[in-house]
Amino acid sequence: MRLIWCLYVLWILCSGVTSRHRHQQQRLRQVLTQRLQRINTEVSEWLVLKNEEYRGWLEKSSFASWDYETDLSKENAQKLSKNNVEFAKWKKICVREALDKLKLPGLSYDARHQLRILAYSVDPSDPLQLRKVTEIQTKLEEIYGKGVIEYNGTSLQLEPGISNLFESSRDPKVLSEVWVKWRDVTGKKMANLYTEYVELQNTGAIENGFEDLGDAWRQRSFYETPDLVEMTENLWQEIKPLYVQLHSYVRRKLRAYYVKNHPEYDFPNDGSIPAHLLGDMWAQEWTKIFDLVQPYPEVKEVDMDRVMREKGYNVGNMFRRAEEFYTSLGLFKMVPDFWWHSMLVRPKEKDREVQCHASAFDFYNNDTFRIKMCTEVKMKYFQTIHHEMGHIEYFMAYRGQPTVYRDGANGGFHEAIGDTIALSVQSRKHLQTLGLLEDAVMSEENKRKSDINFLMSQALQKLAFLPFGYLVDRWRWRVFSGEVTPDKYNEEWWKMRLEYQGVTSPVPRTNLDFDPGAKFHVAANSQYIIYFTSFLLQFQFYESMCQASGHTGPLYTCDFYRSKTAGEKLLKMLQLGSSKHWKEALQQLTGDTRIRTDPFKNYFQPLIEFLRKENKGEVGWANAKINWK
């Protein structure tokens, strides 16, 4: 009957205008218009109500997460789990109602956009399964957060103890021992839990209309981007030749060092790099081996950590200086609650365990924003502060949006903002402004060499990260789809580490190990492809802001500090939140609608030319194999 009525209406509206039908057409158009207006009004009112309810739940969840991560007690874990279960119950009802409303005709684009966000869920419908998911998630994070190893008669946590040792030691035996112990107290304890977690999360994703959890993630973080897998693969292929050049140069320098200084160590000759020798627990950023691979060691580079201490830097003024950079662009000051309640250093209470992984928190009440990290007076922490404060600036910029739009345009945007600012902070010009670097008189040749040294230090952080940033979720997508089964989790992890990064484990591994779990974002079930895209987006943002500031000269020399023009351009994009498609937000700041690798390549061009000359075509690791039992 409904179909017949629809066909009749369609016939009346589409038929030729005659005296017989004119009145009927006008009347039907009025009825239909009124009906559609009524539908949109009702949906708008419902969205206002649900946005406020959603905001309330996000506020509760943020406080529960904050309380737990700043005090990993059993009581706080139980409170967090209970909150997550109750929040999921609300979401279940909201999702059902949003899906029903999406079936209504004549909805505006904005209404459909909001409804799709509210209709997103990966929670299983079975209450027992849902409770189990939240319990496992909390347990995985607890294992990671409480990870402690025993080394040389001392108990070491990841930060600062293990990280400091990894950054400073050059003894391959020591590094290998610590590398293994960290994975034994984290990933290895997660293996069975993670397998069950994947099964439960996939159940929820499939029940909610997705192919698997990976499909759900891709659709949520990169809204209306069906070609995300192809897009990220193309971006990687554009960057891969640059990485191969860096990898080959670093490998040759490391091999020379260890052959000379640790002749007892059998450095592989198959083109791969042992993962424990790169100055980082996950071999994702290599900045701490700069002294071993510095292109021109005769041009002395400043030890920024030492200079910061000598100049009287402390944790408090590191945060204040970061805030001042943002306000110099016309962006926001931190709210009073930030200074009163943020956890900026590791608490002194010995009986209080915390999650030191740096994070920014939005409490969704418009005046509570905090950072949690265990800061030390080091340049790497100074950069991290700018990164995390970038999240806070984004939070504050879009707080006027409906709750569903209080998010980045896509996941990569949120991660890119603070790093865009950090690129400016790391420039020699800005370090001179801060008094951390003297404006020394150099010959043109020494200036060229110093620039290459600087770009190498940047590449060890930015370029070295990209294959790791890419492969973590490529591995998880394969896990979620069932392509990689639990009995092959670790083997496939190392095959991909070798394929993309060219690194191998220091000791033979087995499928009884679960090395992905030694990385926070795997334990916390946080997406990682967003970091891959953010490391490219930040150079695109940086280039645009440099142009807006009137910068001339090589891109890597730009500092847009105090440029209100650049800040205004950035703010307009930040204020959009996720209310517009990410391509539209990207266009707002850069004029582009796609992620480009050109700014990244332009930034590092002098270094890439240097590497090609040094490597002389001897690159790659085609004959390497994983270190496997």
Side-chain angles (χ1 to χ4, degrees):
M1 191 69 188
R2 190 174 184 181
L3 177 60
I4 294 172
W5 167 246
C6 290
L7 291 172
Y8 175 69
V9 171
L10 184 63
W11 174 70
I12 290 294
L13 292 176
C14 295
S15 62
V17 179
T18 67
S19 57
R20 179 181 178 183
H21 296 127
R22 185 179 293 110
H23 178 70
Q24 290 175 303
Q25 286 180 321
Q26 291 175 344
R27 180 58 185 155
L28 279 170
R29 285 195 180 97
Q30 290 175 352
V31 171
L32 288 173
T33 299
Q34 291 171 358
R35 174 58 179 153
L36 293 177
Q37 287 175 342
R38 206 159 42 242
I39 288 172
N40 274 284
T41 299
E42 292 171 357
V43 169
S44 294
E45 292 173 350
W46 183 88
L47 285 170
V48 170
L49 175 65
K50 292 303 170 183
N51 267 294
E52 178 54 27
E53 290 179 5
Y54 189 31
R55 187 208 61 76
W57 276 108
L58 289 174
E59 182 180 16
K60 290 178 185 177
S61 297
S62 294
F63 274 108
S65 294
W66 175 267
D67 290 345
Y68 176 65
E69 292 186 31
T70 57
D71 184 357
L72 297 171
S73 68
K74 185 176 181 180
E75 180 184 2
N76 284 338
Q78 290 172 343
K79 288 180 180 178
L80 176 61
S81 182
K82 180 181 178 181
N83 176 82
N84 290 343
V85 170
E86 293 301 314
F87 186 15
K89 289 178 181 177
W90 175 87
K91 281 199 294 184
K92 184 177 180 180
I93 297 172
C94 183
V95 166
R96 185 172 63 246
E97 293 177 359
L99 287 171
D100 286 341
K101 293 190 183 318
L102 277 169
K103 298 173 185 176
L104 295 172
L107 295 175
S108 67
Y109 173 82
D110 181 68
R112 285 194 175 277
H113 192 180
Q114 291 196 52
L115 286 169
R116 285 183 183 129
I117 295 173
L118 288 170
Y120 176 86
S121 177
V122 294
D123 293 330
S125 58
D126 184 330
L128 293 179
Q129 289 184 327
L130 177 58
R131 183 175 295 277
K132 189 67 175 177
V133 165
T134 60
E135 289 174 354
I136 293 177
Q137 178 63 76
T138 303
K139 184 62 178 178
L140 290 172
E141 293 189 46
E142 179 184 317
I143 291 171
Y144 189 92
K146 292 185 175 181
V148 176
I149 70 167
E150 296 299 322
Y151 173 74
N152 203 21
T154 305
S155 296
L156 296 178
Q157 295 174 304
L158 181 61
E159 292 187 27
I162 298 173
S163 294
N164 286 346
L165 193 153
F166 235 81
E167 293 168 3
S168 59
S169 177
R170 296 289 183 255
D171 187 330
K173 186 177 179 180
V174 169
L175 293 170
S176 178
E177 179 183 347
V178 174
W179 188 96
V180 171
K181 284 184 173 181
W182 174 249
R183 281 153 180 78
D184 284 346
V185 300
T186 54
K188 202 165 192 175
K189 293 182 178 181
M190 300 177 190
N192 293 332
L193 284 171
Y194 191 78
T195 299
E196 186 178 4
Y197 187 75
V198 169
E199 292 173 357
L200 291 169
Q201 284 278 256
N202 266 344
T203 297
I206 293 168
E207 286 179 352
N208 284 281
F210 301 105
E211 294 179 6
D212 53 55
L213 184 58
D215 177 44
W217 277 7
R218 293 189 294 272
Q219 291 196 42
R220 179 67 180 92
S221 283
F222 288 82
Y223 178 67
E224 292 184 351
T225 311
D227 63 339
L228 177 64
V229 175
E230 180 183 0
M231 181 187 80
T232 51
E233 173 64 18
N234 289 339
L235 290 171
W236 165 241
Q237 290 301 329
E238 290 178 29
I239 290 295
K240 181 179 177 180
L242 282 65
Y243 175 76
V244 170
Q245 293 291 338
L246 177 67
H247 175 283
S248 300
Y249 174 85
V250 167
R251 181 190 174 280
R252 189 170 61 256
K253 289 285 188 177
L254 284 179
R255 180 175 173 78
Y257 172 83
Y258 280 99
V259 167
K260 177 181 179 181
N261 295 282
H262 293 274
E264 77 286 357
Y265 178 66
D266 186 17
F267 196 102
N269 59 9
D270 59 4
S272 68
I273 301 176
H276 64 309
L277 302 182
L278 289 163
D280 177 79
M281 177 56 75
W282 309 279
Q284 67 180 56
E285 294 180 3
W286 308 345
T287 53
K288 290 304 175 181
I289 61 162
F290 174 74
D291 61 308
L292 302 184
V293 302
Q294 183 177 345
Y296 296 106
E298 69 273 18
V299 179
K300 300 300 181 183
E301 298 298 329
V302 175
D303 181 347
M304 285 297 169
D305 295 347
R306 177 182 56 79
V307 173
M308 288 177 72
R309 291 190 295 270
E310 291 175 353
K311 295 287 185 178
Y313 273 67
N314 56 50
V315 171
N317 62 35
M318 286 165 69
F319 276 87
R320 290 290 183 181
R321 288 179 185 273
E323 178 191 43
E324 196 276 327
F325 192 106
Y326 283 101
T327 58
S328 83
L329 301 177
L331 298 179
F332 305 98
K333 294 185 69 173
M334 296 297 100
V335 296
D337 177 87
F338 177 89
W339 301 110
W340 294 337
H341 295 119
S342 287
M343 190 192 89
L344 305 183
V345 296
R346 179 184 286 280
K348 294 181 179 179
E349 302 98 311
K350 292 184 178 181
D351 60 343
R352 178 182 168 193
E353 295 181 277
V354 301
Q355 173 52 266
C356 269
H357 183 86
S359 302
F361 284 72
D362 181 358
F363 292 85
Y364 295 90
N365 57 20
N366 292 350
D367 60 5
T368 310
F369 308 94
R370 300 174 189 170
I371 285 175
K372 167 191 65 70
M373 59 185 288
C374 299
T375 318
E376 294 186 339
V377 182
K378 293 183 177 181
M379 180 54 69
K380 75 168 187 176
Y381 287 99
F382 196 41
Q383 295 168 12
T384 302
I385 290 169
H386 286 85
H387 173 90
E388 297 303 332
M389 202 169 280
H391 288 301
I392 304 282
E393 293 289 339
Y394 214 162
F395 296 155
M396 291 194 281
Y398 59 53
R399 58 185 155 181
Q401 290 281 358
T403 306
V404 293
Y405 293 154
R406 291 178 66 166
D407 201 353
N410 69 34
F413 275 60
H414 235 305
E415 300 303 329
I417 300 305
D419 283 351
T420 301
I421 302 302
L423 285 172
S424 188
V425 172
Q426 289 169 293
S427 69
R428 291 187 181 278
K429 181 179 178 182
H430 192 73
L431 293 176
Q432 289 167 359
T433 300
L434 292 175
L436 295 176
L437 195 64
E438 295 181 3
D439 187 9
V441 177
M442 289 185 180
S443 66
E444 283 299 314
E445 178 61 11
N446 279 350
K447 184 179 183 303
R448 182 190 68 81
K449 290 179 178 180
S450 183
D451 283 352
I452 295 297
N453 283 346
F454 168 72
L455 288 173
M456 174 60 78
S457 69
Q458 289 290 81
L460 294 175
Q461 178 186 6
K462 302 295 184 180
L463 179 54
F465 172 81
L466 285 170
F468 185 79
Y470 183 54
L471 73 87
V472 172
D473 274 359
R474 293 286 293 193
W475 174 82
R476 283 194 288 194
W477 293 344
R478 295 176 66 206
V479 166
F480 297 148
S481 71
E483 180 186 348
V484 176
T485 53
D487 61 317
K488 296 290 185 182
Y489 278 177
N490 211 45
E491 184 177 358
E492 289 301 317
W493 171 256
W494 280 106
K495 285 181 179 179
M496 294 183 74
R497 295 290 306 269
L498 179 59
E499 176 186 356
Y500 291 102
Q501 280 188 284
V503 302
T504 52
S505 57
V507 299
R509 307 305 281 162
T510 74
N511 277 314
L512 295 176
D513 300 305
F514 182 61
D515 295 329
K519 179 64 182 170
F520 170 79
H521 298 79
V522 174
N525 207 38
S526 299
Q527 295 190 57
Y528 214 70
I529 196 69
I530 60 177
Y531 294 96
F532 173 74
T533 56
S534 79
F535 268 55
L536 298 175
L537 281 168
Q538 64 189 250
F539 285 87
Q540 214 167 337
F541 295 170
Y542 179 63
E543 180 185 65
S544 179
M545 294 181 69
C546 288
Q547 291 169 352
S549 72
H551 171 74
T552 58
L555 183 58
Y556 61 85
T557 64
C558 167
D559 176 25
F560 48 69
Y561 177 56
R562 294 176 178 161
S563 172
K564 294 293 194 295
T565 305
E568 182 181 3
K569 198 169 186 180
L570 176 62
L571 181 59
K572 286 181 179 178
M573 186 195 77
L574 299 181
Q575 289 172 330
L576 294 175
S578 61
S579 66
K580 303 295 183 184
H581 191 280
W582 67 265
K583 291 185 178 181
E584 191 173 337
L586 179 61
Q587 188 174 34
Q588 174 81 56
L589 178 58
T590 69
D592 290 314
T593 57
R594 65 184 184 88
I595 302 174
R596 295 190 300 112
T597 59
D598 294 345
F600 189 97
K601 293 176 181 177
N602 292 341
Y603 185 96
F604 286 109
Q605 187 57 39
L607 176 67
I608 299 306
E609 292 175 2
F610 166 83
L611 293 175
R612 286 180 178 138
K613 290 179 182 177
E614 289 290 310
N615 289 330
K616 300 175 183 177
E618 298 178 9
V619 298
W621 54 89
N623 297 321
K625 298 184 183 303
I626 64 173
N627 195 354
W628 197 254
K629 280 186 182 178

